[in-house]
Amino acid sequence: MCEETVSIPQLLTQASSKLRLADAFKPRGVVRRVADGVAIVAGLEAARYEELLAFDSGALGIAFDLRPNALGTVLLSGASLVREGDGVVGLDRLPDLPVGPEALGRILDPLGNPLDEGGPLSGSKRLPLFRTAPEIIQRKSVDQTLWTGVMAVDAAIPIGRGQRELIVGDRNVGKTSLAIDFVIAQKSGDVACVYVLIGQPMSRVRALRDTLEREGALANTVIIAAYSSDSPGLQYLAPLAGASMAESFRDAGGHAVVVYDDLTKHADAYRELALLLDRPPGREAYPGDIFYVHAELLERAAALSTELGGGSVTAFPLVETTDGDISSYIPTNLISITDGQIYLDTARFERDLRPAIDIGRSVSRIGAVAQPAAMRKAAKNLKIQLSRFESLEKLSRVGLDIDVTTQATLRDGNILRAALRQMRSSPRDIAYQVIVLTAISEQWLNDLSPSEAALAVEVLVELVRERDLDLVTTLNSREVPAEGWKKPLQAMAIEARARIPTTKTNVMHAVDQEVETGL
């Protein structure tokens, strides 16, 4: 029996139902010139700034430069497919990306397309990349600590949820490693993480994913990546996509951390686009509005008021310096925008003082307000003590006679420096940090060598976790222990000193040798 045939009227009816006559009335433009990731388009006089454009070749772009008779377009995906004479239409919307918890554990490009083995995100919620920052009346003061797990930061440069803290330093001094440690410390908490990689090779993106997966932090992190081989337009959009992703968690009443690695490459991409579109160059050839671009981006990090859910976005922008010069254009701009900076020093890095944080040149303008009371008391004079120690250390290297008081200050400073040493991917909780800083400030370890003191505090923390779990729980819950809690702690410190092995390890030898030679 023959299959039922479809009549011509039925075919015409089906075809007419799929026909969208409105598309025929949409304004269409034409590509007049294309090169190096930008295109000049004519015929789209009604296009709006930053509107998403679609090319006949399947490429996407955004309206970036509105001119009287032409449109400067930044190409995003499919830039190599665009040719002169191609048609262009506006999509009447801003570039956006899918957001939400289903993005955790994924690697996405700035438009939300997957860069890993997983499929496209199926969530219906999308947010535009260009969003305005919360108004002042919508914000609240920073009153909660963001625990980073890095003792040098939590004790001396505390960060609050909703803060913007710059990480600045030369190339290869541990900026990315420090940011990754911040992300790893959030794996078991209530803070979602967004890590933005701008202009990085694919190998580095994969290495970041492998590191987070190995440490159990990938399931709590979204990676937004714009490869170095991508168009400068995608690199320009990458931090905006990261900000929107982080804001999706904040708008739901949660907390998020976003890392921009790094804004030096973002500024370079923006400069490239501006110069290709014939915008006038300014200082160091950057366009004059680069300050506004970064200010607009970083202002999106904030703690919202309780009426709006009480969520927060904490931003860690990274910026690269040359020979420690923080007075160049981009670092100066970002220092003036952010709420403080963590400065990584090349000399410390070369001496294997990890993390290589120069605490004297680092500052957190608002973080101490939210620091837990027990931690604030234990680290009360930490920055002053380290500053005095490093000043005396420089004088001791020139061969001057040192009195007993100065020798005691140098000894205590070396013990404190040894305690602040920290391996990568080893976050320290509040209890650990308070116990160690209390033991040092009370001078229970002041007659030990730096390496012996480092071993003693490890033994001390183990003893406290075994014998006084209530103290550990109290400290980790950010509460002040009951009166007299230091007395049993001192007894355990004495016992910890007695348990120090008599044979030093190679690590202990290395630490003591550094102190003896005055490196």
Side-chain angles (χ1 to χ4, degrees):
M1 186 175 180
C2 297
E3 295 182 0
E4 184 179 354
T5 59
V6 181
S7 65
I8 293 178
Q10 289 175 322
L11 290 174
L12 292 174
T13 301
Q14 293 175 3
S16 63
S17 65
K18 299 177 182 179
L19 183 63
R20 297 176 58 185
L21 295 178
D23 292 342
F25 294 96
K26 274 189 175 182
R28 284 182 59 84
V30 61
V31 177
R32 294 302 187 193
R33 177 166 60 88
V34 59
D36 300 321
V38 299
I40 304 301
V41 175
L44 285 179
E45 290 80 5
R48 295 171 295 173
Y49 184 60
E50 294 173 346
E51 180 182 350
L52 197 62
L53 308 177
F55 294 77
D56 288 349
S57 61
L60 291 176
I62 57 173
F64 198 69
D65 200 16
L66 305 182
R67 305 176 182 180
N69 300 312
L71 185 68
T73 303
V74 171
L75 301 177
L76 303 177
S77 60
S80 60
L81 303 175
V82 179
R83 298 289 184 269
E84 291 185 11
D86 285 356
V88 191
V89 295
L91 299 182
D92 295 324
R93 62 183 178 90
L94 295 173
D96 56 12
L97 82 164
V99 297
E102 68 170 344
L104 294 172
R106 300 296 304 275
I107 305 177
L108 307 173
D109 72 4
L111 298 177
N113 301 311
L115 298 176
D116 53 13
E117 299 79 13
L121 298 183
S122 57
S124 58
K125 185 176 181 180
R126 302 180 70 92
L127 285 181
L129 273 57
F130 298 97
R131 303 184 75 200
T132 57
E135 298 179 3
I136 294 178
I137 198 171
Q138 297 175 312
R139 302 172 183 240
K140 70 172 182 178
S141 300
V142 173
D143 57 4
Q144 290 182 289
T145 303
L146 178 79
W147 206 254
T148 68
V150 178
M151 190 167 169
V153 174
D154 293 330
I157 324 161
I159 311 298
R161 295 185 180 185
Q163 190 171 340
R164 301 156 298 174
E165 186 78 5
L166 181 67
I167 301 177
V168 58
D170 288 356
R171 182 188 295 269
N172 296 328
V173 294
K175 299 188 298 296
T176 297
S177 299
L178 185 64
I180 293 174
D181 285 347
F182 291 172
V183 171
I184 292 174
Q186 315 306 322
K187 63 182 179 181
S188 57
D190 60 344
V191 181
C193 299
V194 181
Y195 202 106
V196 182
L197 288 158
I198 309 166
Q200 305 288 355
M202 186 182 299
S203 59
R204 188 163 183 177
V205 177
R206 297 294 178 178
L208 171 65
R209 177 187 175 176
D210 293 344
T211 299
L212 295 178
E213 188 172 23
R214 182 174 63 251
E215 300 298 332
L218 182 61
N220 191 47
T221 306
V222 184
I223 300 176
I224 306 289
Y227 297 137
S228 54
S229 58
D230 287 337
S231 66
L234 276 180
Q235 296 181 40
Y236 163 65
L237 292 182
L240 303 174
S244 293
M245 184 66 72
E247 287 169 344
S248 69
F249 297 103
R250 181 201 66 192
D251 295 344
H255 303 278
V257 164
V258 57
V259 178
Y260 303 116
D261 188 4
D262 62 44
L263 290 189
T264 305
K265 291 183 174 60
H266 178 252
D268 292 343
Y270 188 74
R271 174 174 59 181
E272 181 179 353
L273 293 173
L275 294 177
L276 287 170
L277 292 171
D278 300 324
R279 291 186 179 181
R283 179 179 168 185
E284 298 181 19
Y286 289 102
D289 62 341
I290 185 63
F291 180 89
Y292 168 78
V293 169
H294 283 162
E296 184 182 39
L297 170 68
L298 294 175
E299 279 295 320
R300 294 168 67 174
L304 294 185
S305 63
T306 306
E307 292 76 12
L308 296 177
S312 69
V313 172
T314 307
F316 289 104
L318 277 64
V319 66
E320 184 179 305
T321 57
T322 302
D323 296 329
D325 181 19
I326 60 174
S327 63
S328 57
Y329 189 37
I330 300 303
T332 300
N333 284 348
L334 291 171
I335 287 173
S336 65
I337 294 169
T338 51
D339 303 311
Q341 66 274 349
I342 299 173
Y343 182 79
L344 299 180
D345 182 52
T346 304
R348 283 175 169 76
F349 187 84
E350 292 173 347
R351 290 160 55 191
D352 199 31
L353 296 176
R354 311 291 174 82
I357 299 174
D358 187 340
I359 293 178
R361 299 176 70 179
S362 303
V363 64
S364 175
R365 298 191 179 102
I366 59 176
V369 177
Q371 200 173 25
M375 186 67 184
R376 191 185 308 120
K377 187 173 182 180
K380 182 178 180 181
N381 298 317
L382 180 60
K383 291 194 72 170
I384 297 175
Q385 184 178 352
L386 279 174
S387 178
R388 184 183 298 126
F389 159 66
E390 291 183 354
S391 299
L392 292 175
E393 187 183 36
K394 292 177 182 178
L395 293 175
S396 69
R397 293 174 185 170
V398 300
L400 297 176
D401 292 334
I402 302 175
D403 57 27
V404 176
T405 303
T406 303
Q407 290 177 2
T409 302
L410 290 173
R411 179 196 60 218
D412 294 344
N414 281 315
I415 291 175
L416 182 56
R417 174 188 284 171
L420 293 177
R421 283 175 178 264
Q422 191 168 342
M423 300 292 292
R424 287 190 58 187
S425 306
S426 57
R428 296 172 175 175
D429 59 16
I430 302 177
Y432 180 103
Q433 298 188 29
V434 172
I435 290 169
V436 170
L437 291 174
T438 301
I440 294 175
S441 63
E442 296 291 336
Q443 297 189 342
W444 297 336
L445 312 172
N446 60 354
D447 58 342
L448 299 177
S449 68
S451 57
E452 290 172 338
L455 282 179
V457 295
E458 294 292 340
V459 176
L460 172 60
V461 173
E462 290 180 6
L463 287 174
V464 175
R465 294 189 191 281
E466 291 174 2
R467 301 179 183 177
D468 198 346
L469 190 58
D470 290 340
L471 174 61
V472 175
T473 303
T474 300
L475 292 174
N476 282 334
S477 61
R478 311 191 182 194
E479 298 176 1
V480 179
E483 188 71 24
W485 67 279
K486 292 183 181 180
K487 189 172 182 179
L489 185 63
Q490 183 179 11
M492 284 184 277
I494 295 173
E495 183 177 346
R497 291 163 55 98
R499 291 192 181 189
I500 298 175
T502 55
T503 304
K504 293 182 179 180
T505 64
N506 292 334
V507 175
M508 294 172 63
H509 277 305
V511 174
D512 288 341
Q513 183 66 24
E514 176 183 307
V515 175
E516 293 169 3
T517 56
L519 291 176

